[in-house]
Amino acid sequence: MNRLAVILAVFCLTAFAFGQGTADLIVVNGNVRTLDKSKPRAQAVASSGGRIIAVGTNAEIRALAGPQTVVVDAKQRLVLPGFNDSHVHFTA
């Protein structure tokens, strides 16, 4: 599976806030679309526990990295928040 697709699957659409502690996953150098009218684009995003905890510049988001944080370079590719609901409707 494409690494970027896996990253996008990790993110779920939540409220964005800064200063939420250490991130599990950080994506930098991205073309991040936040879907937030007050801040529609960003360079980087951080998540912790499967939730987005911060969106901002590369420097702002890198500050949330800890020793176990996975940092991924998006190489200027598009990064979108998403909700993945995988289920099936069986017919009788």
Side-chain angles (χ1 to χ4, degrees), residues 1-14 25 27 45 47 49-52 72 78-86:
M1 189 176 215
N2 182 319
R3 187 174 185 184
L4 190 56
V6 172
I7 293 165
L8 293 176
V10 170
F11 293 127
C12 60
L13 184 57
T14 62
L25 174 68
V27 179
V45 61
S47 72
R51 294 183 181 260
I52 295 172
V72 177
L78 181 62
V79 178
L80 298 171
F83 176 77
N84 295 306
D85 179 20
S86 179

Side-chain angles (χ1 to χ4, degrees), residues 11-12 14-26 45-56 61 64-65:
F11 293 127
C12 60
T14 62
F16 301 110
F18 284 97
Q20 296 293 320
T22 303
D24 299 331
L25 174 68
I26 289 177
V45 61
S47 72
S48 180
R51 294 183 181 260
I52 295 172
I53 60 168
V55 178
I61 300 307
L64 299 175

Side-chain angles (χ1 to χ4, degrees), residues 28-73:
V28 295
N29 299 319
N31 180 6
V32 181
R33 303 292 169 83
T34 67
L35 305 180
D36 179 353
K37 290 181 183 179
S38 68
K39 189 176 190 173
R41 294 188 181 197
Q43 290 179 313
V45 61
S47 72
S48 180
R51 294 183 181 260
I52 295 172
I53 60 168
V55 178
T57 66
N58 288 329
E60 291 169 337
I61 300 307
R62 283 186 187 275
L64 299 175
Q68 302 298 319
T69 302
V70 175
V71 179
V72 177
D73 184 349

